[in-house]
């Protein structure tokens, strides 16, 4: 696969982003949703910030208080045996390491704009910021689907009661309407198709079941984008392959003559995140036609291998111009990058799953 | 709380139910959905059956094969170190005890009918039996909401890809229409309200999040019963109380002058399942008005304390006649029982959660 990484990569890094508070630092500007609006490319960044700490024995956790509409900063001493601080991203209860109790950073969305898709200017203020109790730990990994003149933006809403997927919409990237949580916990990596198929909207989603089952890709239907049903299991892990740990949708599905092309992320059991592709039936996207045997993009460049959480390429959006797929992607949970791939080369690389 | 357990309890036991195959035995007839149809009380039993085994070293697991429409029986030798057989209900992989890999029984639904609500006759054949890949491990804990002349029946659909909630409907308890999975994994204990509230259908549901959060009760809205959205967190665990382990909706919400009364189950951390009650706002059921401090029914009778999985009272349906609530409930994951309670006494027992 020919992968033409931009010379300008990484396009946006944490140091390019001014923190939204003087007592915070930006540790990530990554996993951005992508849209074209007027003559600009919009990167809707997930910005992760954490409270500055001058005492290495104190770990801080920011929480949005729904009542006061203010951030509260909790402080933990790393000698506190009730908690575990091994993962710098989370604080866990010592008696239940399977779940996180707090996050050490707060994520929100912020716009980066560009005329050429390579050089971006970052808005001085947040775009959408946590606003309700289901977002008190932050909002993550936005995707954007344009339908008509409306941009539907959906993201992981994180709070102590779980991680679900909520949706807002905008027509101008200024005024925002909130549509509530559209997929209940635990769910992430939702992708809404850009048009109805046979009279119904479709979305990919990624439940994380607990009692049995894996983090895999499902598909659902909707009459109105707000209410979803007829959930079907779509795409699973592949034992021993690059996507045997967890998978989830990436970019908004791309309509091609051969079917809906979805660029998805797959992680191995040792958490190396690559991008692959899957082709879904044009008239019934719950049918899988073909799939990547090998990743189309793997973490190889320095900025993809090294960072806050290294060895991650994770796309939340792509732009298509003729045969060129401009895949924007987060790298190492830190920065944003872009690479150009050939649409026909991706399609030709897929292995058919339909019996002859 | 005055709890008038029927003298006839348990009303249905596994020995009352003929297995649907000669090579199976019935181990549970419990957690039944309840409806009135014509002049009968319908108990839609969850019947659990397991393959007979004459070799104590062999554990069998029945799986519905979607292609052949037949049950396949897998066999495991208890000396197989790849698996763990400590829980008689499940087979787990030895290297991941947090999830089950197979179930040792298959659950399906079967009708028990009664003229007096106390003496039941059990239909000779299954009512709804697993029919698709999301039900290959069985279907569990049905609930029934009557709206107009249609009975909506929804249940946990269990398969290797997760546990979600699917729905069928019937007008006559003979012809069945399948509506697919309405709540994606992991979800159980769905309850659809019996009428629209302010133009929208409502349902309680019980996600089981993995990364953070607990098995608690959420509420969702729908325009059509098939597609659900605007998920909100409704009711949580209470540390140190009888419902500090897991909670979930029980009977279909009962409309009263004071609000929607929901009889819900709560389990303690040591898995003692009791029934409690919560009152929701009549015009906005996402608002909690009052809640039981103590259980309204706890496992006390012998058939509630002892059984396949003891110390469980678990209601999936109740009938209301004036002030009398006839709460039908599964006992010890084994049999069915019924108790009469006073509606006004339940309402009076609740502790208000609205600030004066």
């Amino acid at each position: 696969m020919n992968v033409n990484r931009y010379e300008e990569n990484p396009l946006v890094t944490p140091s390019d982003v001014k923190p939204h508070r003087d007592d915070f630092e930006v540790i990530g500007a990554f996993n951005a949703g992508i849209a074209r609006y007027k003559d600009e490319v919009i990167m809707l960044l997930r910005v992760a910030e954490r409270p500055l700490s001058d005492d290495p024995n104190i770990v801080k956790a920011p929480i949005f208080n729904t009542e006061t509409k203010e951030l509260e900063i909790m402080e933990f001493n790393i000698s506190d045996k009730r908690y575990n601080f091994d993962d710098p991203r989370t604080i866990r209860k010592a008696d239940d390491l399977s779940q996180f109790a707090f996050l050490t950073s707060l994520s929100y969305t912020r716009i980066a704009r560009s005329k050429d898709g390579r050089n971006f200017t970052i808005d001085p203020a947040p775009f959408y910021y946590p606003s309700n109790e289901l977002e008190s730990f932050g909002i993550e990994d936005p995707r954007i689907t344009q339908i008509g003149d409306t941009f539907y933006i959906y993201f992981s809403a994180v709070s102590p009661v779980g991680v679900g997927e909520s949706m807002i919409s905008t027509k101008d990237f200024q005024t925002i309407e909130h549509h509530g949580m559209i997929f209940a916990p635990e769910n992430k990596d939702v992708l809404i198709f850009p048009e109805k198929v046979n009279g119904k909207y479709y979305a990919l989603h990624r439940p994380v079941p607990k009692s049995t089952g894996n983090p895999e890709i499902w598909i659902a239907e909707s009459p109105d984008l707000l209410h979803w049903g007829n959930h079907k299991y779509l795409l699973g892990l592949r034992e021993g392959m690059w996507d045997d740990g967890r998978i989830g949708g990436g970019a908004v599905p791309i309509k091609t003559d051969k079917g809906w092309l979805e660029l998805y992320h797959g992680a191995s059991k040792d958490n190396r995140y690559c991008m692959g592709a899957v082709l879904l039936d044009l008239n019934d996207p719950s049918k899988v036609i073909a799939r990547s045997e090998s990743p189309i993009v793997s973490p190889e460049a320095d900025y993809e291998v090294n960072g806050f959480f290294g060895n991650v390429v994770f796309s939340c959006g792509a732009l298509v111009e003729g045969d060129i797929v401009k895949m924007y992607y987060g790298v190492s949970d830190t920065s944003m990058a872009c690479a150009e791939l050939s649409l026909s080369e991706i399609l030709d690389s897929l292995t058919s799953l339909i019996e002859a």
Side-chain angles (χ1 to χ4, degrees), chain A:
Chain A
M1 185 72 52
N2 289 298
V3 179
N4 298 310
R5 290 172 170 85
Y6 283 2
E7 285 179 12
E8 295 86 349
N9 281 349
L11 304 178
V12 171
T13 70
S15 62
D16 298 328
V17 183
K18 188 177 184 307
H20 80 300
R21 289 166 56 132
D22 290 339
D23 56 343
F24 275 48
E25 63 180 331
V26 175
I27 59 170
F30 61 119
N31 297 3
I34 302 295
R36 272 200 195 87
Y37 176 63
K38 294 184 173 172
D39 61 344
E40 290 182 327
V41 174
I42 299 274
M43 236 192 223
L44 189 62
L45 299 166
R46 168 183 171 187
V47 171
E49 296 191 19
R50 70 181 169 200
L52 290 168
S53 182
D54 44 20
D55 182 346
N57 293 317
I58 298 296
V59 176
K60 296 183 179 179
I63 302 170
F64 179 78
N65 183 317
T66 322
E67 304 291 323
T68 63
K69 304 284 177 194
E70 298 284 341
L71 274 190
E72 291 177 357
I73 316 291
M74 293 186 68
E75 299 198 355
F76 299 84
N77 195 298
I78 57 169
S79 65
D80 188 335
K81 297 296 180 203
R82 291 172 300 172
Y83 295 98
N84 178 291
F85 305 95
D86 289 349
D87 182 340
R89 300 171 298 180
T90 61
I91 298 168
R92 291 166 193 265
K93 289 187 179 164
D95 61 2
D96 181 10
L97 296 178
S98 73
Q99 292 201 321
F100 68 81
F102 300 98
L103 298 180
T104 56
S105 64
L106 182 95
S107 289
Y108 63 88
T109 63
R110 194 141 149 188
I111 291 174
R113 304 167 187 274
S114 175
K115 301 285 189 199
D116 63 4
R118 292 169 180 258
N119 298 285
F120 283 83
T121 306
I122 294 155
D123 278 9
F127 174 63
Y128 179 67
Y129 192 82
S131 73
N132 65 47
E133 67 164 5
L134 299 179
E135 300 166 356
S136 60
F137 281 171
I139 58 178
E140 303 181 353
D141 303 348
R143 273 81 167 190
I144 307 173
T145 298
Q146 181 178 2
I147 299 176
D149 63 352
T150 304
F151 298 88
Y152 294 92
I153 301 167
Y154 33 98
F155 47 81
S156 300
V158 187
S159 80
V161 298
V163 182
E165 189 90 2
S166 291
M167 185 166 80
I168 58 176
S169 66
T170 184
K171 291 178 189 293
D172 56 8
F173 286 95
Q174 291 185 346
T175 307
I176 293 169
E177 184 179 1
H178 203 302
H179 303 288
M181 182 168 276
I182 55 173
F183 287 88
E186 183 159 340
N187 213 311
K188 283 184 170 181
D189 302 325
V190 170
L191 272 316
I192 296 176
F193 286 61
E195 59 184 75
K196 283 188 176 180
V197 179
N198 282 323
K200 289 173 281 196
Y201 291 110
Y202 282 86
L204 307 178
H205 61 104
R206 209 288 298 277
V208 186
K210 186 170 182 180
S211 305
T212 198
N214 294 305
E216 299 175 317
I217 300 177
W218 289 58
I219 189 165
E221 302 172 3
S222 174
D224 57 9
L225 301 174
L226 303 177
H227 307 90
W228 294 89
N230 201 13
H231 300 277
K232 292 179 181 173
Y233 175 80
L234 185 71
L235 202 70
L237 306 181
R238 293 183 295 189
E239 191 61 35
M241 291 180 66
W242 57 278
D243 51 2
D244 68 353
R246 52 179 56 223
I247 57 174
V252 173
I254 299 163
K255 193 176 187 181
T256 77
D257 290 344
K258 295 188 175 176
W260 290 100
L261 181 67
E262 170 61 13
L263 308 181
Y264 75 93
H265 67 265
S268 56
K269 285 181 177 140
D270 55 354
N271 293 313
R272 184 171 187 259
Y273 280 75
C274 299
M275 291 300 299
V278 63
L279 192 66
L280 308 176
D281 189 282
L282 214 47
N283 296 307
D284 178 2
S286 71
K287 289 185 184 161
V288 179
I289 297 174
R291 185 174 179 183
S292 300
E293 286 291 307
S294 305
I296 58 171
V297 179
S298 302
E300 290 168 9
D302 175 65
Y303 49 84
E304 295 164 352
V305 172
N306 299 305
F308 185 67
F309 190 82
N311 279 308
V312 173
V313 295
F314 188 101
S315 176
C316 296
L319 300 174
V320 180
E321 292 175 9
D323 189 54
I324 301 173
V325 177
K326 299 179 177 183
M327 190 184 83
Y328 289 87
Y329 58 103
V331 291
S332 296
D333 282 11
T334 305
S335 302
M336 281 301 299
C338 185
E340 293 187 354
L341 298 95
S342 156
L343 182 58
S344 52
E345 193 182 346
I346 296 174
L347 289 170
D348 290 344
S349 75
L350 303 180
T351 302
S352 173
L353 299 173
I354 305 291
E355 285 165 30

